[in-house]
Amino acid sequence: MSEGTMTDTAAAGKARDDKIYFPEPLAQATIIRRANRFIIDVRVEDMAVACHCPTTGRIGNLVLDGLPCLLSRSHSSARKTPYTVEAVSVDPPGTADPTWIGINQTAANRYVEHALSRRLLPHIVTAGTVQREKFLGRSRLDFLVNDDTYIEVKTPLDHLQVPLGDHIRTRPRPPLAATDRLVRHIGELGRSLEAHERAILLVCFLYDNPGFQVRKSSHHSEVKAQVAQAVKRGVEIWQVNFELDHTGVRVSRHYELTTHFLDA
């Protein structure tokens, strides 16, 4: 097995059947506040604890204060924070079995890796080999599958497509501006087709997103032109939804978005 080729044991945990199990069950807590981009203060077991926030960007337009959350525990003595906030819920207070929105964008790549390895994305690709973080031009793309298919994973969190009840507080959402990496990566995917058979932009959600909606950024026309050019070259755009609970994650559905992106 070459360097970077995926093994059956990844940091996300063990896969059995179609579910990826966490190394240990996640703990439920309540968010006190998001102190800054990197820290979320929570109340767990009647104690206030500073936890790692795995995304530095916006989590929709949510005010997180008071929302239930799921925590993974770190066993590293080098960590300053004992927990990472893995998910939040916008279900009404007192919901016995909340639906969770995963916010760990780094973990999303591990879940996709497991799904590829276990051949849980049959409509997209049947993976024989999966290599991680392969350089293509100036970009480092997430996966090279079967030596002929590049896959780049994007996990949007700035716009959450979930119903929000009256108990949820929100704040105004500024226009999305950071699109440079998206434009560069989809351009590299298009150019990869000169030497490879397939190139895929995989839009990944850690909740049951009903169908990705493109939000216009301050560079929308530039991004749309780049996407259109890449699609004409043959780049495919797919969506995958994962369902997350306190024990693990599983693929709920996946389908193609290529035409949808062209019309956006």
Side-chain angles (χ1 to χ4, degrees):
M1 184 173 291
S2 61
E3 181 180 355
T5 301
M6 198 224 2
T7 65
D8 284 337
T9 56
K14 300 285 188 179
R16 298 198 301 274
D17 300 322
D18 65 341
K19 188 168 185 178
I20 304 161
Y21 288 87
F22 300 126
E24 59 185 87
L26 304 182
Q28 187 165 333
T30 302
I31 295 175
I32 300 172
R33 62 183 176 276
R34 185 172 183 175
N36 55 49
R37 292 192 303 160
F38 307 99
I39 298 294
I40 295 178
D41 295 329
V42 310
R43 187 166 298 281
V44 56
E45 298 177 353
D46 294 324
M47 295 176 53
V49 181
C51 302
H52 172 59
C53 179
T55 175
T56 58
R58 298 191 300 267
I59 302 172
N61 59 343
L62 299 179
V63 175
L64 298 178
D65 304 14
L67 295 185
C69 64
L70 291 178
L71 311 176
S72 62
R73 185 188 298 272
S74 171
H75 295 283
S76 170
S77 59
R79 274 276 299 262
K80 294 182 179 179
T81 51
Y83 295 99
T84 294
V85 179
E86 298 287 347
V88 301
S89 178
V90 294
D91 285 350
T95 300
D97 187 17
T99 300
W100 299 102
I101 301 168
I103 66 170
N104 192 333
Q105 291 167 308
T106 301
N109 276 30
R110 299 199 298 267
Y111 304 152
V112 169
E113 185 178 14
H114 269 283
L116 289 168
S117 170
R118 295 283 168 167
R119 300 184 178 183
L120 302 178
L121 304 175
H123 301 305
I124 302 177
V125 64
T126 299
T129 61
V130 181
Q131 300 177 66
R132 294 173 291 189
E133 298 186 342
K134 302 298 291 185
F135 275 94
L136 178 65
R138 295 179 293 112
S139 298
R140 185 172 61 185
L141 301 181
D142 292 318
F143 300 105
L144 177 60
V145 178
N146 299 337
D147 292 321
D148 62 13
T149 302
Y150 275 106
I151 298 178
E152 175 67 10
V153 178
K154 296 297 178 188
T155 309
L157 280 174
D158 61 281
H159 176 43
L160 298 178
Q161 293 172 235
V162 293
L164 300 178
D166 294 338
H167 65 290
I168 297 295
R169 289 184 292 154
T170 61
R171 55 172 54 91
R173 181 190 291 114
L176 181 65
T179 58
D180 292 348
R181 293 184 74 250
L182 172 61
V183 170
R184 185 174 77 249
H185 284 161
I186 200 165
E188 296 286 12
L189 282 169
R191 286 186 285 276
S192 80
L193 289 167
E194 297 173 3
H196 294 82
E197 294 182 9
R198 296 182 70 193
I200 297 168
L201 178 67
L202 186 61
V203 186
C204 174
F205 294 95
L206 304 184
Y207 65 96
D208 191 28
N209 182 290
F212 179 58
Q213 296 176 358
V214 177
R215 284 189 61 229
K216 292 186 177 181
S217 71
S218 54
H219 304 287
H220 181 71
S221 58
E222 176 189 357
V223 173
K224 185 174 181 178
Q226 187 75 61
V227 170
Q229 183 180 14
V231 169
K232 286 180 180 178
R233 285 177 166 176
V235 172
E236 303 165 34
I237 304 174
W238 289 76
Q239 175 173 331
V240 58
N241 291 352
F242 288 88
E243 292 181 352
L244 182 149
D245 61 27
H246 70 285
T247 63
V249 296
R250 60 163 39 98
V251 175
S252 61
R253 52 180 170 154
H254 61 290
Y255 47 87
E256 192 167 4
L257 291 176
T258 309
T259 303
H260 173 72
F261 259 75
L262 286 177
D263 295 337

